[in-house]
Amino acid sequence: MKSLLLFFTCLLSIVTIAQNKTSQYKDQSTQVNLQRNIQIKQDTREQEITIEIDNQTKKIELMIHSSVSLGQLSIEIYDSKGKKQGDFSVGNQLNTNVSEQVEGNITKSLIEPQEGLWKVKIIPIKAKGMVQISTFTFH
């Protein structure tokens, strides 16, 4: 009876150790950061940046910062099915005799985001400035 009890105790210990090692690997994750800096020089052409999200992505954080010294700038975020997920606009309000710098930001955080190609549209109207797009993906 004692040997049977000892056998089950050893077996339980082995199973517990194996579960701990497995759970250590399950809890691991990888973070990938990407940053783009886009200069706009009195442009009116719409630009599109794509962000690929695969089925391994557990979370994504998308941060967009813009700064405009002339004109107006709109930013739009679309998911892989083409549905708008956020937008903002920045622009000058003062006349051309005054120097004005306008900044705007948007942050989008998604848990288990829809996979596919997401799009960030940059829509300038006679704009001069910059757009910084940072993505943080967690796998």
Side-chain angles (χ1 to χ4, degrees):
M1 183 73 171
K2 282 187 177 184
S3 60
L4 188 59
L5 183 61
L6 182 60
F7 172 75
F8 282 119
T9 303
C10 289
L11 184 62
L12 183 61
S13 297
I14 292 170
V15 169
T16 303
I17 290 169
Q19 285 178 346
N20 285 340
K21 289 189 181 223
T22 303
S23 67
Q24 286 174 358
Y25 293 113
K26 283 182 182 178
D27 294 339
Q28 290 183 359
S29 66
T30 302
Q31 179 180 350
V32 177
N33 303 333
L34 178 64
Q35 185 167 319
R36 295 180 187 279
N37 294 308
I38 302 158
Q39 297 294 321
I40 299 169
K41 299 178 181 173
Q42 289 193 289
D43 202 353
T44 56
R45 290 176 292 151
E46 183 178 308
Q47 301 290 328
E48 213 171 72
I49 301 296
T50 57
I51 299 166
E52 186 173 351
I53 298 177
D54 62 25
N55 61 358
Q56 300 294 319
T57 303
K58 295 176 184 174
K59 179 181 177 184
I60 185 166
E61 291 184 12
L62 175 62
M63 294 182 285
I64 303 171
H65 173 78
S66 65
S67 177
V68 174
S69 59
L70 185 67
Q72 296 180 350
L73 179 65
S74 294
I75 305 290
E76 299 175 348
I77 302 169
Y78 292 89
D79 65 21
S80 61
K81 291 186 178 177
K83 182 179 177 189
K84 189 186 283 188
Q85 295 292 328
D87 65 340
F88 74 98
S89 296
V90 294
N92 292 99
Q93 294 182 359
L94 302 177
N95 64 36
T96 57
N97 295 331
V98 178
S99 178
E100 180 184 18
Q101 188 80 18
V102 183
E103 297 186 14
N105 300 293
I106 188 170
T107 301
K108 188 82 175 166
S109 296
L110 300 161
I111 306 286
E112 295 182 7
Q114 178 182 344
E115 67 180 284
L117 289 178
W118 286 57
K119 296 179 183 177
V120 175
K121 287 187 181 181
I122 302 168
I123 307 163
I125 300 172
K126 297 181 183 177
K128 181 179 180 185
M130 60 76 81
V131 176
Q132 183 179 61
I133 301 172
S134 302
T135 56
F136 300 89
T137 54
F138 301 85
H139 294 108

